[in-house]
């Protein structure tokens, strides 16, 4: 029996964060687990922040993760991973896509963007473990840049932390996409899984 497992996904509009949470939620239900979730959408058209929460377990009643209670933080974009770091538990894990999406405000000189080293230094100081990968490169290897979010899902499962079956999430991925592109997404999942497993050793 799963008492409580909290996942937070942070990214920007267009990265497929909501699709990831949908697939995780479907898988949890298919595995017979209680699940709660919520989403916060920024100005997605302009690359605004998108945050989604998936909470799994018998002791979960509300849709929001209390600060300091997140078991796994998925950063689809480096600064968005950093933005949500306060939700991590001391033993929490971070899976970070190292490909930045620089906000237009930086180009206009209205804000600054931290370096990847600065982001990783901060995340390593608050997380139990940080796994990094270039999801765009891995997605390209799988056959489609659009599958970067599925690469990150594979990396999430590769940690071995989730109380969900791999067969169930793969089934959810397979049924969510047309037959023509489903194999690319399964390959993306497998490649992300492998990278994460290697990092966890």
């Amino acid at each position: 029996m799963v008492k409580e497992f909290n996942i937070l996904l942070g990214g920007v509009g267009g990265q497929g964060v909501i699709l990831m949470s949908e697939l995780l939620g479907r898988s949890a239900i298919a595995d017979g687990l209680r699940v709660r979730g919520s989403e916060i959408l920024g100005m997605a058209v302009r690359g605004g922040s998108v945050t989604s929460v998936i909470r799994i377990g018998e002791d979960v009643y509300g849709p929001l993760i209390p600060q300091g209670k997140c078991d796994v933080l998925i950063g689809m974009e480096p600064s968005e991973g950093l933005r949500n770091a306060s939700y991590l538990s001391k033993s929490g894990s971070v899976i970070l896509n190292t490909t930045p999406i620089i906000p237009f405000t930086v180009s206009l000189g209205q804000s600054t963007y931290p370096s990847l080293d600065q982001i990783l230094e901060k995340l390593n100081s608050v997380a139990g473990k940080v796994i990094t990968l270039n999801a765009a490169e891995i997605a390209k290897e799988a056959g489609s840049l659009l599958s970067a979010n599925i690469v990150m899902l594979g990396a999430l499962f590769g940690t071995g932390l989730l109380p969900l079956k791999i067969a169930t999430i793969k089934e959810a991925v397979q049924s969510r996409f047309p037959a023509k592109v489903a194999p690319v997404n399964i390959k993306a999942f497998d490649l992300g899984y492998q990278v994460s497993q290697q990092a966890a050793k």
Side-chain angles (χ1 to χ4, degrees):
M1 185 177 72
V2 180
K3 288 197 170 184
E4 183 180 346
F5 193 89
N6 297 314
I7 307 163
L8 191 150
L9 303 99
V12 300
Q15 286 192 301
V17 169
I18 303 304
L19 175 58
M20 292 169 74
S21 64
E22 178 196 320
L23 291 169
L24 286 167
R26 280 188 186 184
S27 299
I29 291 167
D31 280 346
L33 298 170
R34 179 178 178 149
V35 61
R36 296 285 181 272
S38 67
E39 290 149 6
I40 300 169
L41 307 176
M43 293 188 298
V45 175
R46 297 189 181 182
S49 297
V50 178
T51 306
S52 188
V53 166
I54 293 290
R55 308 189 70 202
I56 300 167
E58 294 303 311
D59 290 351
V60 170
Y61 298 97
L64 300 176
I65 300 175
Q67 291 207 341
K69 292 287 187 179
C70 177
D71 296 295
V72 183
L73 167 62
I74 308 294
M76 281 297 296
E77 196 282 333
S79 68
E80 292 301 322
L82 181 61
R83 186 195 304 276
N84 291 293
S86 63
Y87 288 96
L88 278 167
S89 70
K90 288 179 181 176
S91 61
S93 295
V94 178
I95 303 169
L96 190 74
N97 177 21
T98 56
T99 309
I101 297 176
I102 308 298
F104 72 95
T105 52
V106 173
S107 308
L108 295 174
Q110 296 172 354
S111 63
T112 58
Y113 189 98
S115 70
L116 183 59
D117 284 344
Q118 289 173 319
I119 291 170
L120 289 174
E121 184 181 354
K122 176 62 179 173
L123 289 175
N124 277 304
S125 72
V126 297
K129 188 171 188 63
V130 178
I131 295 171
T132 60
L133 64 161
N134 187 325
E137 271 186 15
I138 298 169
K140 194 175 175 183
E141 186 185 339
S144 172
L145 280 169
L146 296 174
S147 64
N149 59 338
I150 307 301
V151 169
M152 294 295 283
L153 260 189
L156 172 60
F157 275 78
T159 63
L161 297 171
L162 262 67
L164 302 175
K165 296 171 187 167
I166 293 172
T168 309
I169 187 71
K170 282 192 170 185
E171 201 174 298
V173 169
Q174 202 120 26
S175 64
R176 181 62 174 75
F177 293 97
K180 193 166 66 173
V181 297
V184 171
N185 284 284
I186 293 298
K187 185 176 180 183
F189 181 95
D190 288 340
L191 290 173
Y193 183 91
Q194 289 163 19
V195 169
S196 182
Q197 283 232 306
Q198 287 164 9
K201 287 179 182 176

